[in-house]
Amino acid sequence: MNGDGMVKLKYNINGTKISEPGTERVESKLPATTRRGKLLKAKVLSRVFSEDFERVKKKILDPRGPVIRRWNKIFLVACLVSLFVDPLFFYLPVVKKDVCIDIGIPLEVILTMVRSLADAFYIVQIFIRFRTAYVAPPSRVFGRGELVIDSGKIASRYLKKSFWIDLLAALPLPQVLIWIIIPNLNGSTMMNTKNMLRFIIIFQYLPRLFLIFPLSSQIVNATGVVTETAWAGAAYNLMLYMLASHVLGACWYLLSIERQEACWKTACDLEEPYCQYKYFDCNKVKDPGRLTWFNSSNITSLCSPSSSSYPFGIYGDGLEFNVTTAPFFNKYFYCLWWGLRNLSSLGQNLSTSTYAGEIIFAIIIATLGLVLFALLIGNMQTYLQSTTVRLEEWRIKRTDTEQWMRHRQLPPELRQSIRKYDQYKWLATRGVDEEALLEGLPLDLRRDIKRHLCLDLVRRVPLFDQMDERMLDAICERLKPALCTEGTYLVREGDPVNEMLFIIRGHLDSYTTNGGRTGFFNSCRIGPGDFCGEELLTWALDPRPSVVLPSSTRTVKAISEVEAFALRAEDLKFVAAQFRRLHSKQLRHKFRFYSHQWRTWAACFVQAAWRRFKKRKEAAKLRAMEDLMVAEPEPEPTKPVSGLAIYAAKLAASTRRGINMHSESDTGVVSPLQKPAEPDFSVDEE
């Protein structure tokens, strides 16, 4: 505030102030309370909810957004590739037939290129971590919390936590080592390569391996699982186990070369002063002194694995099968097999020597194999069981049902019906409780799912085709799936009707005897698009409905496997209110046309009317014949009267009396079959 009035201060979403002309002088005169308010405003603006993150997404990334989720999966694959590539550097030393060790240049070039490509992903990860927001710890009390979008706070938090591990994992140490450092060192190139390569690879392999676990946790926190399917999860765990075998095989290969070189040095000590350690470097093969020593030396026989002059221990297989001198793919697959075999057997087949380093390596193999094998079996069992959990639950339920039926001594026909229903329900739902699954979803999402599943099927019901989309959505939301096997009675004549069924697939037989009336039987077939239980709709449309449910006028039996949707009595109350809103004659006539109860009554009514018409027609014909006979003149006395004419006159008189008697009771032909109750489609007066 100043003497002229109020001063407005504007800030960006990240807390920076928007300068306006003429406000610099006024801002310096602001009191301390206003400056504290400014600091509080900047503090508030450094946080944002996820739904408001769109304003700053060009600068800062949402840790729960789709970009980070997709990048985490890509970076996880890059980490696994780098973990696979790093042990391949142990295969660079190669033993030649001239009793020397050399470096494989083609493999060195390929590994450098692949490793440099993998290092680029680690560098990108560091850049992304500097631009990724994090959830403020005090805001985790309720909901997902607020995101801190201040780049300074993000950088400070990242530098204090995991920046140095990411930086160590991203450094191209093996490339610098084999191309820059080792060629400039004095002494044996091979000895420097083996020692420094082993140290650098293991030193950088540990932080790269460590990054796998928090990265997997981030993926699980964001999406719930690392892999989408159970088979992919099982393959992921198996790949990690194979990766451990790959690492052990590479280490065993490098240690085998070192043990072979140690044997050469032991034999060289026996041939001093003619032998020197530098002769084991292939760069010295053309040296005249080495040629003289090699031609007179017995080193190949002394360091042969078949001789017992030197204890090779667990590395004897590498020398016996010439693994150290084999081409790359041959020695790689053999080393992979060696690592997998000993990791799976927990190192039980290893026969070590008395060297401490060799014994420690065997102990690591046994311990690591025990832990990884237990994790592999446990995770594989969990993932594979999740694919058959529904099948196993159904099998257990079926076993319980069989035991219960045997215990209660149910007849074979009833047992077969129960088995048939269980089998049909499994084929239709695969053991998933759809209603329980939908109950855990929000109302709007549940309505959309019901609309997707039921809308097209409901439109096939002629009774519903006059309704608008909103009314159809309300009906779909209340429909319940129903399954029936062949021979099942859905409802019997005289039983209370508690649901109205709309047939989707299958056929049913609907018949009635009109309450057991002798000689009366009416039957019809119900198929897809039809409905049964219309007595319940009449009951629900009654403005003053009774508590007692109506009785069924027909018996409905499934003649094939039936899939339908059911409307319960309480749900039908809502639907009936929607029907009353339509109150059209077209809907009234459509209900009468598709109602089998009305169809039966109409057929009987038409049949009775046709019988009345036929009888009236016969009576009129006989009356005309009688009048014609009466109008004829009396025959002459001399001529005898024909007996046929006398019989015809008597028959006509008796028929006329019978017609007159029956015509009085024509209206009672359909009296035993009562007219169905008329549904009240009209709107309430209120």
Side-chain angles (χ1 to χ4, degrees), residues 504-576:
I504 304 304
R505 297 183 185 89
H507 294 85
L508 302 97
D509 186 17
S510 176
Y511 60 89
T512 179
T513 59
N514 194 20
R517 175 186 170 187
T518 304
F520 184 89
F521 182 81
N522 175 263
S523 176
C524 62
R525 177 167 293 190
I526 301 176
D530 296 329
F531 57 90
C532 60
E534 59 270 18
E535 301 90 350
L536 195 63
L537 180 59
T538 305
W539 168 82
L541 285 170
D542 189 356
R544 295 174 296 276
S546 174
V547 179
V548 181
L549 294 175
S551 299
S552 176
T553 59
R554 307 184 68 86
T555 299
V556 182
K557 180 182 178 181
I559 58 178
S560 65
E561 294 177 344
V562 176
E563 296 183 17
F565 283 107
L567 268 176
R568 307 291 180 183
E570 56 274 10
D571 296 329
L572 198 57
K573 283 289 185 182
F574 173 81
V575 178

Side-chain angles (χ1 to χ4, degrees), residues 287-473:
D287 189 279
R290 187 187 188 282
L291 293 175
T292 303
W293 162 78
F294 184 73
N295 293 330
S296 61
S297 175
N298 195 24
I299 191 171
T300 54
S301 59
L302 292 176
C303 293
S304 175
S306 58
S307 64
S308 58
S309 58
Y310 190 83
F312 288 99
I314 62 176
Y315 310 112
D317 292 344
L319 304 180
E320 182 178 358
F321 297 106
N322 298 322
V323 177
T324 57
T325 60
F328 171 73
F329 285 103
N330 295 347
K331 63 184 177 184
Y332 169 73
F333 284 110
Y334 185 87
C335 294
L336 179 63
W337 158 243
W338 188 93
L340 181 61
R341 179 187 63 183
N342 289 282
L343 196 64
S344 303
S345 62
L346 310 182
Q348 296 180 5
N349 299 325
L350 297 178
S351 299
T352 64
S353 61
T354 56
Y355 284 90
E358 182 181 347
I359 297 174
I360 293 175
F361 183 61
I363 292 175
I364 292 175
I365 292 176
T367 306
L368 194 61
L370 179 62
V371 175
L372 293 180
F373 193 73
L375 290 176
L376 175 66
I377 296 300
N379 292 329
M380 291 281 285
Q381 183 180 10
T382 301
Y383 280 108
L384 295 181
Q385 279 183 349
S386 64
T387 61
T388 58
V389 60
R390 297 297 179 188
L391 182 61
E392 185 66 18
E393 291 177 356
W394 177 74
R395 188 190 64 81
I396 295 175
K397 183 179 179 180
R398 189 169 183 176
T399 303
D400 295 341
T401 304
E402 292 289 340
Q403 294 178 355
W404 175 79
M405 291 189 299
R406 194 181 305 111
H407 175 68
R408 295 301 180 184
Q409 299 181 358
L410 297 183
E413 298 82 6
L414 195 54
R415 294 187 184 185
Q416 187 63 27
S417 300
I418 295 175
R419 296 190 190 103
K420 187 184 298 183
Y421 175 77
D422 287 342
Q423 182 69 25
Y424 180 61
K425 187 175 181 181
W426 165 257
L427 293 176
T429 63
R430 290 297 176 183
V432 178
D433 189 356
E434 297 179 353
E435 291 301 319
L437 186 64
L438 293 176
E439 285 297 328
L441 298 176
L443 179 61
D444 186 62
L445 187 57
R446 186 164 63 242
R447 184 183 296 113
D448 292 342
I449 295 175
K450 284 281 191 176
R451 177 185 177 88
H452 171 73
L453 296 176
C454 309
L455 184 60
D456 293 338
L457 303 176
V458 169
R459 286 184 183 276
R460 289 161 50 184
V461 179
L463 196 61
F464 294 152
D465 60 358
Q466 295 295 323
M467 294 187 174
D468 56 12
E469 296 292 332
R470 186 175 60 84
M471 297 171 66
L472 289 177
D473 289 343

Side-chain angles (χ1 to χ4, degrees), residues 14 117 279 411 495:
N14 57 3
L117 182 62
Y279 290 164
D495 292 345

Side-chain angles (χ1 to χ4, degrees), residues 168-211:
L168 181 61
L171 293 177
L173 297 181
Q175 300 95 302
V176 175
L177 178 68
I178 61 179
W179 293 104
I180 299 177
I181 298 179
I182 293 180
N184 296 324
L185 292 177
N186 297 325
S188 176
T189 304
M190 258 330 300
M191 185 177 299
N192 295 331
T193 301
K194 289 192 289 74
N195 294 336
M196 298 188 66
L197 191 63
R198 177 175 56 185
F199 173 76
I200 291 298
I201 293 297
I202 295 177
F203 176 73
Q204 198 174 27
Y205 199 82
L206 294 178
R208 290 199 168 195
L209 182 63
F210 173 77
L211 289 179

